[in-house]
Amino acid sequence: MSDLLGRFSPPLLLAVAWLLLTAEAGLLIGVALPGTSVLVALGYFAHLGVVPLGGAIGVAACAAVTGTQISYLWGRRREGAPSFHRFAPGRWHRPRELLGRHGRWAVVAAQWFGSARTLTPRLAGWAGMPYRTFATASLPTACAWAATLVTVSYHVAPEIVQRFTAHLAVAGPATVAIALVVLWVTRGRPKVLGRRRR
């Protein structure tokens, strides 16, 4: 990614980075786009003096916010429509219910984990999450995600940042799975105990 972006002039480099970052969250094809790598590359180029650090952070944050807004609005336009059901009929009721209960935290967490950045805002809009709830969770988190990775890669070797984010991509789903198991156990235990007492 650094080699690819390095072929552009600074203004064009920032424009291409903005487009890639916006598309990652805003379009379904974003599942396959390397948003994290773009941020790392921006931080690296800022370190080299190719682009100003403030400009890189500003462009990255703006793109991250724009992408999540597009994704949410796409989901909101299809609220109640069978768009998601056609991929897995009958399996989207539970995710929609969870987003309704814990949507704010789901939006915050998803920003840091790979393809969840693309899918969660869509699901939030489709589930009918109020825009104010989504925006208050998404805007600061998107800005923090972009600024953190650009700044860290500005000060740290890009290889180390890439290695860390690769581990984060693996740890994210594992953490979610563990959290779901813990919730299931803690919520299911009182029912089991209650049945035994009877």
Side-chain angles (χ1 to χ4, degrees):
M1 181 57 65
S2 296
D3 294 337
L4 175 63
L5 292 179
R7 299 174 185 175
F8 300 109
S9 64
L12 186 57
L13 189 155
L14 291 174
V16 171
W18 186 88
L19 286 172
L20 288 172
L21 290 168
T22 300
E24 190 211 23
L27 306 175
L28 280 176
I29 194 176
V31 172
L33 292 178
T36 299
S37 297
V38 173
L39 295 179
V40 172
L42 280 177
Y44 176 66
F45 287 125
H47 176 77
L48 295 178
V50 176
V51 295
L53 178 60
I57 293 174
V59 166
C62 178
V65 168
T66 302
T68 57
Q69 300 301 300
I70 292 173
S71 184
Y72 172 84
L73 292 174
W74 183 92
R76 194 61 184 265
R77 286 182 60 187
R78 287 157 179 78
E79 182 181 353
S83 304
F84 290 96
H85 290 284
R86 64 186 178 186
F87 296 107
R91 297 185 179 179
W92 290 98
H93 176 72
R94 184 59 177 166
R96 187 173 185 176
E97 183 183 345
L98 287 173
L99 274 172
R101 292 181 181 177
H102 313 289
R104 186 188 302 272
W105 296 111
V107 170
V108 170
Q111 184 66 46
W112 300 88
F113 301 124
S115 59
R117 279 191 298 275
T118 302
L119 298 176
T120 301
R122 277 176 165 71
L123 281 170
W126 176 73
M129 179 185 294
Y131 177 73
R132 183 174 180 179
T133 301
F134 174 79
T136 55
S138 175
L139 266 62
T141 308
C143 291
W145 170 73
T148 297
L149 288 183
V150 172
T151 303
V152 169
S153 59
Y154 174 82
H155 293 287
V156 181
E159 295 80 8
I160 297 176
V161 180
Q162 288 280 35
R163 205 172 302 162
F164 171 76
T165 52
H167 290 308
L168 190 63
V170 175
T175 303
V176 172
I178 292 171
L180 289 175
V181 170
V182 170
L183 283 174
W184 180 80
V185 171
T186 55
R187 291 184 178 183
R189 185 174 297 172
K191 295 180 181 179
V192 174
L193 291 175
R195 290 175 183 173
R196 288 180 180 176
R197 288 175 183 174
R198 290 179 187 176

mmCIF file of all heavy atoms in Angstrom, residues 5-6 8-11 13 44-52:
data_model
loop_
_atom_site.group_PDB
_atom_site.id
_atom_site.type_symbol
_atom_site.label_atom_id
_atom_site.label_comp_id
_atom_site.label_asym_id
_atom_site.label_seq_id
_atom_site.Cartn_x
_atom_site.Cartn_y
_atom_site.Cartn_z
ATOM 1 N N LEU A 5 0.642 4.197 -2.901
ATOM 2 C CA LEU A 5 0.333 5.591 -2.595
ATOM 3 C C LEU A 5 1.539 6.489 -2.845
ATOM 4 O O LEU A 5 1.384 7.673 -3.157
ATOM 5 C CB LEU A 5 -0.120 5.718 -1.138
ATOM 6 C CG LEU A 5 -1.473 5.085 -0.800
ATOM 7 C CD1 LEU A 5 -1.779 5.257 0.679
ATOM 8 C CD2 LEU A 5 -2.588 5.672 -1.638
ATOM 9 N N GLY A 6 2.745 5.936 -2.713
ATOM 10 C CA GLY A 6 3.946 6.739 -2.895
ATOM 11 C C GLY A 6 4.155 7.235 -4.309
ATOM 12 O O GLY A 6 4.989 8.111 -4.552
ATOM 13 N N PHE A 8 1.945 8.878 -5.992
ATOM 14 C CA PHE A 8 1.131 10.071 -6.219
ATOM 15 C C PHE A 8 1.786 11.304 -5.622
ATOM 16 O O PHE A 8 2.570 11.224 -4.674
ATOM 17 C CB PHE A 8 -0.262 9.886 -5.596
ATOM 18 C CG PHE A 8 -1.028 8.710 -6.151
ATOM 19 C CD1 PHE A 8 -1.240 7.574 -5.382
ATOM 20 C CD2 PHE A 8 -1.536 8.736 -7.425
ATOM 21 C CE1 PHE A 8 -1.940 6.488 -5.872
ATOM 22 C CE2 PHE A 8 -2.246 7.656 -7.944
ATOM 23 C CZ PHE A 8 -2.446 6.529 -7.167
ATOM 24 N N SER A 9 1.418 12.474 -6.170
ATOM 25 C CA SER A 9 1.850 13.739 -5.574
ATOM 26 C C SER A 9 1.107 13.912 -4.254
ATOM 27 O O SER A 9 0.050 13.295 -4.051
ATOM 28 C CB SER A 9 1.530 14.893 -6.527
ATOM 29 O OG SER A 9 0.127 15.006 -6.709
ATOM 30 N N PRO A 10 1.620 14.739 -3.326
ATOM 31 C CA PRO A 10 0.971 14.873 -2.002
ATOM 32 C C PRO A 10 -0.525 15.176 -2.047
ATOM 33 O O PRO A 10 -1.298 14.490 -1.362
ATOM 34 C CB PRO A 10 1.778 16.000 -1.347
ATOM 35 C CG PRO A 10 3.133 15.848 -1.941
ATOM 36 C CD PRO A 10 2.906 15.441 -3.376
ATOM 37 N N PRO A 11 -0.989 16.184 -2.831
ATOM 38 C CA PRO A 11 -2.439 16.432 -2.848
ATOM 39 C C PRO A 11 -3.229 15.241 -3.397
ATOM 40 O O PRO A 11 -4.288 14.885 -2.872
ATOM 41 C CB PRO A 11 -2.589 17.657 -3.765
ATOM 42 C CG PRO A 11 -1.253 18.310 -3.738
ATOM 43 C CD PRO A 11 -0.266 17.193 -3.627
ATOM 44 N N LEU A 13 -2.234 12.148 -3.387
ATOM 45 C CA LEU A 13 -2.097 11.074 -2.404
ATOM 46 C C LEU A 13 -3.170 11.187 -1.332
ATOM 47 O O LEU A 13 -3.825 10.202 -0.989
ATOM 48 C CB LEU A 13 -0.696 11.143 -1.778
ATOM 49 C CG LEU A 13 -0.256 9.993 -0.864
ATOM 50 C CD1 LEU A 13 1.261 9.904 -0.851
ATOM 51 C CD2 LEU A 13 -0.761 10.186 0.556
ATOM 52 N N TYR A 44 3.222 7.018 7.772
ATOM 53 C CA TYR A 44 4.592 6.814 7.301
ATOM 54 C C TYR A 44 5.029 7.958 6.393
ATOM 55 O O TYR A 44 6.144 8.483 6.524
ATOM 56 C CB TYR A 44 4.668 5.479 6.567
ATOM 57 C CG TYR A 44 6.016 5.187 5.955
ATOM 58 C CD1 TYR A 44 7.141 4.981 6.754
ATOM 59 C CD2 TYR A 44 6.165 5.111 4.572
ATOM 60 C CE1 TYR A 44 8.373 4.711 6.198
ATOM 61 C CE2 TYR A 44 7.393 4.838 4.001
ATOM 62 C CZ TYR A 44 8.494 4.641 4.814
ATOM 63 O OH TYR A 44 9.711 4.373 4.264
ATOM 64 N N PHE A 45 4.149 8.371 5.470
ATOM 65 C CA PHE A 45 4.488 9.479 4.578
ATOM 66 C C PHE A 45 4.606 10.801 5.337
ATOM 67 O O PHE A 45 5.400 11.670 4.978
ATOM 68 C CB PHE A 45 3.458 9.595 3.459
ATOM 69 C CG PHE A 45 3.569 8.515 2.427
ATOM 70 C CD1 PHE A 45 2.483 7.727 2.105
ATOM 71 C CD2 PHE A 45 4.773 8.271 1.785
ATOM 72 C CE1 PHE A 45 2.594 6.714 1.166
ATOM 73 C CE2 PHE A 45 4.895 7.269 0.835
ATOM 74 C CZ PHE A 45 3.798 6.480 0.524
ATOM 75 N N ALA A 46 3.804 10.953 6.367
ATOM 76 C CA ALA A 46 3.938 12.149 7.208
ATOM 77 C C ALA A 46 5.292 12.143 7.909
ATOM 78 O O ALA A 46 5.941 13.183 8.059
ATOM 79 C CB ALA A 46 2.805 12.204 8.228
ATOM 80 N N HIS A 47 5.712 10.973 8.349
ATOM 81 C CA HIS A 47 7.029 10.840 8.985
ATOM 82 C C HIS A 47 8.145 11.214 8.018
ATOM 83 O O HIS A 47 9.152 11.829 8.417
ATOM 84 C CB HIS A 47 7.207 9.407 9.481
ATOM 85 C CG HIS A 47 8.550 9.136 10.070
ATOM 86 N ND1 HIS A 47 8.907 9.552 11.344
ATOM 87 C CD2 HIS A 47 9.651 8.510 9.561
ATOM 88 C CE1 HIS A 47 10.152 9.188 11.593
ATOM 89 N NE2 HIS A 47 10.618 8.546 10.519
ATOM 90 N N LEU A 48 7.989 10.854 6.765
ATOM 91 C CA LEU A 48 8.997 11.170 5.744
ATOM 92 C C LEU A 48 8.929 12.628 5.290
ATOM 93 O O LEU A 48 9.814 13.088 4.571
ATOM 94 C CB LEU A 48 8.821 10.252 4.530
ATOM 95 C CG LEU A 48 9.062 8.755 4.749
ATOM 96 C CD1 LEU A 48 8.801 7.985 3.454
ATOM 97 C CD2 LEU A 48 10.491 8.508 5.223
ATOM 98 N N GLY A 49 7.872 13.328 5.676
ATOM 99 C CA GLY A 49 7.715 14.721 5.265
ATOM 100 C C GLY A 49 7.026 14.894 3.932
ATOM 101 O O GLY A 49 6.975 16.004 3.394
ATOM 102 N N VAL A 50 6.477 13.816 3.382
ATOM 103 C CA VAL A 50 5.783 13.891 2.094
ATOM 104 C C VAL A 50 4.470 14.652 2.241
ATOM 105 O O VAL A 50 4.094 15.438 1.367
ATOM 106 C CB VAL A 50 5.526 12.470 1.543
ATOM 107 C CG1 VAL A 50 4.722 12.526 0.242
ATOM 108 C CG2 VAL A 50 6.843 11.741 1.321
ATOM 109 N N VAL A 51 3.758 14.400 3.334
ATOM 110 C CA VAL A 51 2.514 15.119 3.627
ATOM 111 C C VAL A 51 2.589 15.619 5.063
ATOM 112 O O VAL A 51 3.273 15.016 5.898
ATOM 113 C CB VAL A 51 1.271 14.208 3.449
ATOM 114 C CG1 VAL A 51 1.102 13.781 2.011
ATOM 115 C CG2 VAL A 51 1.357 12.992 4.370
ATOM 116 N N PRO A 52 1.916 16.731 5.369
ATOM 117 C CA PRO A 52 1.920 17.208 6.762
ATOM 118 C C PRO A 52 1.114 16.281 7.653
ATOM 119 O O PRO A 52 0.083 15.740 7.238
ATOM 120 C CB PRO A 52 1.262 18.589 6.658
ATOM 121 C CG PRO A 52 0.431 18.534 5.424
ATOM 122 C CD PRO A 52 1.153 17.619 4.478
#
